Amino acid sequence: MGEKVSITDVGPRDGLQNQPGILNVEERLKLIRAVAAAGVTAIEVGSFVSPKAVPAMAGTDQVVAGAKSDGSYKPSALIPNLKGYELAREAGVGTVAMVVYASETMARENAKMSGQQAMDITRSIVSLAIEDKIEVTATIAVAFACPFEGATAPDSVARLTAELLEMGVNNVVLADTIGAADPQHARMLTSRLVDSHGAASIGCHFHDTRAMGLANVYAAIESGIRKFDACIAGLGGCPFAPGATGNVATEDVVMMLEQMGFDTGIDLRKLMAASDLAAELTGNAPGGRASAWLKPRLDRF
C-alpha cells in the first residue's frame, strides 16, 4: 500500500450551508452515510450555528445523533463560539472545528468580531476541550487571500499557526476560502509551516474557484501535507465571503492521489455513487471535473 493521505469530507456542512435548497435531517444523513460507505472516515456533518444565520444547518444535533449510531467514521461539527461548543459537547461530538481569521475584515464580516476576539474564544474553548477530551481543529480562513483585503501575508498565517498549536489545537487547516491560491503560493506556505512544525498537525482546504484546487492539493502534497478537506461533488461556498465557490471535489482528489500511488482508503466507485446522490439531493452539485471521464473507467481504480 502507498503512503496514507487522510481526507475529511466537508460536504454535509460546508457543501450544504450555501445551497438555495435546504435538505432535511434524513436527507443529510443519507448523504453522510453514502460518503461513509465509500470509506471516508472523517466527515464534517454539520455546524452548531444559529439556524437564523445558516438555515441549512438547523437540526445538527439530530444529524450528529444519527451519525454517531453508524460508528464507521468520525463525525465532526463546526462551532462558532462557546454556546456552539456546549451544544456540540451535549450532542456527543468528539471533534469540533473552529474558524480563526488571517484577515481582520473577514473576521468582522463572517463572525461579527475582531480577529483577536476569535483567537481568544478559540483559546477558551481549547482549554475546555482538553478537559473534555474533545479534539479541536482550527481552520485559518482566508489563509491565502481575502475578498476584502487582498493577498494574505504569510507571516500572519505562520504566527496564527504557531499560536494555535501552542494553545493545544489538534490540527490547523489552511483554508483557501475564495480559491485564490496558486500552486507556487500553496507550496511556499505549506513548506514553510511543515519546516517549522512538521506535517502531522497541518492540513489544507482548497476551493476550485479558479480551477486550481487540484493543482494546489498536489503542491501541498509535494510539501509533505497529508491531510486535506474536500467536498463531495464539488459543493460548497461561504455565504459571507464574496467569490467563494465550490470546494475541490473529493472524487477528484481521491482519483489523483490513488493514481499517484497514495492510499486514501476510499473506494472511488462508491464515492462516485455518493457524488451522484449529492447531485440528486441538491439539484445543482457540479460534480468533480473528472467525473465524465471517470464513470466509464472506474474499474481501473
Side-chain angles (χ1 to χ4, degrees), residues 31 232-233 235 273-287 295:
L31 178 60
I232 192 68
L235 287 165
S275 179
D276 289 343
L277 176 63
E280 176 188 332
L281 290 172
T282 64
N284 64 351
K295 287 183 177 181

Side-chain angles (χ1 to χ4, degrees), residues 134-157:
I134 293 174
E135 291 187 8
V136 178
T137 292
T139 294
I140 301 178
V142 296
F144 296 90
C146 170
F148 307 104
E149 297 183 14
T152 300
D155 286 350
S156 297
V157 180

Side-chain angles (χ1 to χ4, degrees), residues 217-238:
V217 171
Y218 176 79
I221 281 283
E222 290 285 281
S223 298
I225 300 295
R226 297 293 183 266
K227 294 181 179 181
F228 294 93
D229 288 353
C231 187
I232 192 68
L235 287 165
C238 176

Side-chain angles (χ1 to χ4, degrees), residues 164-176:
L164 288 164
L165 291 173
E166 183 179 359
M167 74 173 67
V169 304
N170 300 90
N171 293 289
V172 174
V173 174
L174 310 177
D176 183 21

